[in-house]
Amino acid sequence: MGSVTLEPNKQTNGSASDASGGAASPIRSYAPATGALLGEVPVFSAEEVAATVTRARKAQAAWAVLPVEERAERLLRFRDAIVERADEIVEIVSKECGKPRHEALMHEVTIIADLATYYCRNAPRILAPQEISLHLLVHRKSVVRYVPRGVVGIISPWNFPFSIPMGDVFAALVTGSAAVVKPSEVTPLTMRKAKEIYDSTGLPEDLFGVVTGYGATGAALIDAGIQKVVFTGAVETGKRVAAACGARLIPCVMELGGKAPLIACADADLERTARAIVFGGFANAGQVCISVERVYAHKDIHDSLVRRVKELTGELRVGDPSRDFFDVGAIIFPKQIDVAEKHIADALEKGAELVAGGRRMPGPGQFFEPTVLARCSDAMTVMNEEIFGPIVPIQKVDSEEEAIALSNRSRLGLNAYVFTKDRKRGRKLAEQVEAGSVVVNDVLVNYAVAEAPFGGIKDSGFGRVHGDDALRDMAEKRHVNYDRMASPARDPLWYPYSAKSFHWLQRGLRLLFAGSGLVQRIGELF
Ligand code: NAD
């Protein structure tokens, strides 16, 4: 394996080292807010990944036979350790990502404490066998059981290095599977901290594994005989990962990019909408898959909204989160700043107005001014492609219908927002937007809803995390169909076939299904 030396703030997520064998130079993790070296982790070879999966599978065999109540009870100890040691997690997440400590606490630790609590408390109900009465074959019955899959591989990005993988880890473990995480090469220390905390709780050590490395280590994980993949990352990577899973027939969840529109209706509460745009656009320096990535403002509210967004953006304090309680932190790597600058140049060339920000800030560290663009149009890249940085572009529209049509033009469909004082209409409009989740009069909040599914449609991916269905999907659905009463030795639907039995089948079809049909009434009787 080749050696790789990463300069501070020059990390790439390419495959300068791969997982094909041999010893690679360790990955160095740098603080994007200061450029300081935070630590290093090894690049796992394919053999080391396979060995981690083998150990996880062994541990899982004993874990899977425990009653779900016991698994949940023991996992709550891990939740408690996370809460007790929240400061350590906040510290490393904030340093490694450059995000404000408020956000590390709220969006990473608190979300996981809540999701873990919800899943552990409710797993016995959610995973209970489901008895199904049958409307046609009334003499039989079905039961669906949720059986542990084995080892679940979790491949995660850098923007929420704790909450994204840990939600999936809790879901996998409580359903009786093991979990092996391949964290982003850009933020590997956070998962190492999570593993350290896990190991302190007395839970089976090998049940939760962490394999650090680049994309090739992720590819090796998919190839290591695992039973499910939960992938979160960019659309292009997702396509490669989904293809690799397809080749091995491994079910996968694809949590990919977003281009969330915010529709500001004519009757929206101006102050709340402006504040939502600023928070939803600049939290985590805009590096959120559900960031407010484009605003469609009704012409009646547009000018005052742009004015207020400009004022509020001007009040934001940007800086190193380890020095003070700044509002906006750092940009993860220089490439992301280049992307922001390209979007801004393209928009200005095509007639946009720079309302606030627009420039990279002096180092040390990587910072970019929170930027607001007005007079945007759908010809601009900033309204079409994922920005993943602190830019909010605003486009004036003549009607809410136009805003919905523009929202739905995107090939991405993860999240969307509608702001209106008419809550009933808000819900109606929300139902017309093509996105996995649409939030009325709030931003980002749906990721914190443990009970509801989170995930995208179109190129934003498929499958879901969070919510009851996602937990059931973490397990294997196994169906047993059995007889409710003694069956005759000679079944009239079996051999031999004859003209007479065919005639009876024809009559039966008409009797059961024609018109109001008997089948419904039979079902009601049983
Ligand atoms: P990325 O796709 O570059 O990397 C994600 C992970 O995939 C990393 O761990 C990486 O090492 C790994 N990887 C790369 N190539 C691989 C391969 N061939 N096989 C297996 N693994 C491989 O994404 P990123 O830059 O870390 O994250 C940013 C992207 O993630 C954005 O597009 C953002 O919208 C998206 N995202 C989506 C969600 C969601 O829930 N839908 C959440 C957060 C981020």
Side-chain angles (χ1 to χ4, degrees):
M1 195 176 298
S3 74
V4 56
T5 309
L6 297 172
E7 299 290 315
N9 307 319
K10 294 273 188 232
Q11 289 155 311
T12 67
N13 48 6
S15 52
S17 296
D18 64 26
S20 59
S25 298
I27 294 175
R28 292 178 182 154
S29 179
Y30 294 97
T34 60
L37 178 63
L38 296 174
E40 39 179 65
V41 296
V43 173
F44 274 60
S45 68
E47 290 72 24
E48 288 163 337
V49 172
T52 307
V53 169
T54 303
R55 285 198 302 275
R57 187 177 314 290
K58 243 189 191 161
Q60 188 261 344
W63 178 250
V65 295
L66 298 177
V68 60
E69 290 79 3
E70 191 175 335
R71 292 198 299 258
E73 207 48 52
R74 292 181 66 179
L75 283 169
L76 281 171
R77 275 188 244 154
F78 182 26
R79 188 264 333 250
D80 290 345
I82 287 171
V83 173
E84 270 160 34
R85 297 175 66 176
D87 288 350
E88 293 170 51
I89 303 168
V90 166
E91 163 100 1
I92 189 62
V93 169
S94 175
K95 282 213 167 112
E96 224 181 8
C97 262
K99 69 174 71 185
R101 279 170 284 164
H102 281 75
E103 292 177 13
L105 185 62
M106 278 189 304
H107 302 163
E108 307 254 18
V109 180
T110 307
I111 278 189
I112 286 308
D114 180 59
L115 185 66
T117 305
Y118 179 77
Y119 271 165
C120 291
R121 291 260 157 80
N122 290 284
R125 167 185 62 79
I126 297 169
L127 300 173
Q130 288 182 336
E131 299 274 344
I132 305 171
S133 300
L134 309 179
H135 76 284
L136 178 61
L137 305 180
V138 290
H139 58 298
R140 305 191 62 80
K141 203 159 180 182
S142 283
V143 60
V144 173
R145 291 177 314 119
Y146 297 95
V147 178
R149 282 185 187 274
V151 182
V152 177
I154 296 158
I155 302 175
S156 51
W158 47 263
N159 62 336
F160 289 91
F162 187 76
S163 55
I164 287 180
M166 289 315 294
D168 303 327
V169 168
F170 271 101
L173 298 191
V174 81
T175 51
S177 283
V180 176
V181 176
K182 206 302 275 176
S184 167
E185 54 272 42
V186 186
T187 51
L189 299 178
T190 298
M191 249 326 87
R192 218 169 57 170
K193 172 60 74 180
K195 174 69 174 147
E196 180 197 315
I197 295 174
Y198 173 89
D199 286 346
S200 73
T201 61
L203 280 153
E205 197 179 318
D206 292 332
L207 194 65
F208 168 31
V210 177
V211 292
T212 45
Y214 298 90
T217 302
L221 177 58
I222 298 168
D223 207 23
I226 57 177
Q227 278 65 49
K228 176 162 175 146
V229 171
V230 184
F231 172 80
T232 309
V235 173
E236 290 314 313
T237 320
K239 286 180 184 171
R240 285 199 293 280
V241 169
C245 291
R248 291 158 187 80
L249 291 179
I250 308 170
C252 57
V253 173
M254 287 285 133
E255 293 286 346
L256 311 179
K259 185 72 192 160
L262 183 148
I263 299 173
C265 298
D267 71 340
D269 178 323
L270 181 76
E271 187 62 15
R272 182 163 177 86
T273 310
R275 287 183 180 277
I277 290 170
V278 172
F279 179 65
F282 302 130
N284 206 23
Q287 303 166 116
V288 185
C289 55
I290 54 174
S291 283
V292 173
E293 282 251 341
R294 47 190 171 135
V295 175
Y296 297 115
H298 191 282
K299 60 181 191 296
D300 292 356
I301 197 179
H302 174 270
D303 293 357
S304 27
L305 188 65
V306 170
R307 241 188 334 269
R308 191 64 187 127
V309 168
K310 177 187 173 156
E311 285 165 10
L312 292 167
T313 303
E315 290 170 12
L316 295 175
R317 295 165 63 244
V318 183
D320 172 6
S322 65
R323 284 200 301 111
D324 203 346
F325 288 108
F326 289 108
D327 303 308
V328 180
I331 305 294
I332 195 75
F333 39 49
K335 196 180 74 184
Q336 219 59 42
I337 294 188
D338 298 343
V339 171
E341 284 181 334
K342 267 196 194 144
H343 278 304
I344 293 169
D346 174 81
L348 295 180
E349 200 184 298
K350 291 174 182 160
E353 176 195 343
L354 186 63
V355 171
R359 287 167 310 172
R360 64 175 73 205
M361 296 165 73
Q366 293 126 209
F367 294 94
F368 199 84
E369 292 174 345
T371 298
V372 180
L373 293 164
R375 291 216 303 263
C376 291
S377 76
D378 51 346
M380 299 169 185
T381 59
V382 80
M383 294 303 285
N384 291 300
E385 293 166 16
E386 190 178 39
I387 306 167
F388 228 58
I391 304 176
V392 170
I394 305 176
Q395 179 169 347
K396 191 193 280 191
V397 292
D398 288 334
S399 65
E400 282 84 14
E401 288 66 33
E402 184 189 355
I404 288 171
L406 287 166
S407 298
N408 292 347
R409 273 181 39 148
S410 177
R411 61 183 181 83
L412 297 170
L414 186 59
N415 242 56
Y417 307 103
V418 176
F419 279 74
T420 169
K421 280 191 197 133
D422 182 344
R423 292 202 292 275
K424 209 166 151 197
R425 181 150 181 265
R427 259 185 74 175
K428 272 201 168 149
L429 291 171
E431 284 167 11
Q432 294 171 49
V433 183
E434 293 168 3
S437 300
V438 187
V439 180
V440 182
N441 294 328
D442 209 333
V443 284
L444 311 185
V445 71
N446 58 305
Y447 194 76
V449 179
E451 295 89 339
F454 178 86
I457 59 171
K458 301 184 182 175
D459 281 5
S460 289
F462 51 80
R464 293 291 181 264
V465 296
H466 302 182
D468 296 6
D469 285 348
L471 198 68
R472 291 194 188 102
D473 283 348
M474 220 12 133
E476 236 165 39
K477 272 194 189 82
R478 303 247 189 107
H479 171 206
V480 171
N481 179 265
Y482 61 94
D483 45 352
R484 299 174 61 206
M485 51 194 86
S487 308
R490 201 186 143 97
D491 195 305
L493 298 178
W494 298 354
Y495 300 134
Y497 294 153
S498 67
K500 196 170 161 196
S501 63
F502 188 69
H503 171 72
W504 278 110
L505 284 174
Q506 283 177 314
R507 285 198 62 181
L509 176 74
R510 279 193 291 275
L511 197 66
L512 287 168
F513 302 108
S516 58
L518 203 59
V519 71
Q520 209 169 320
R521 271 172 277 157
I522 298 175
E524 282 159 13
L525 279 177
F526 285 86

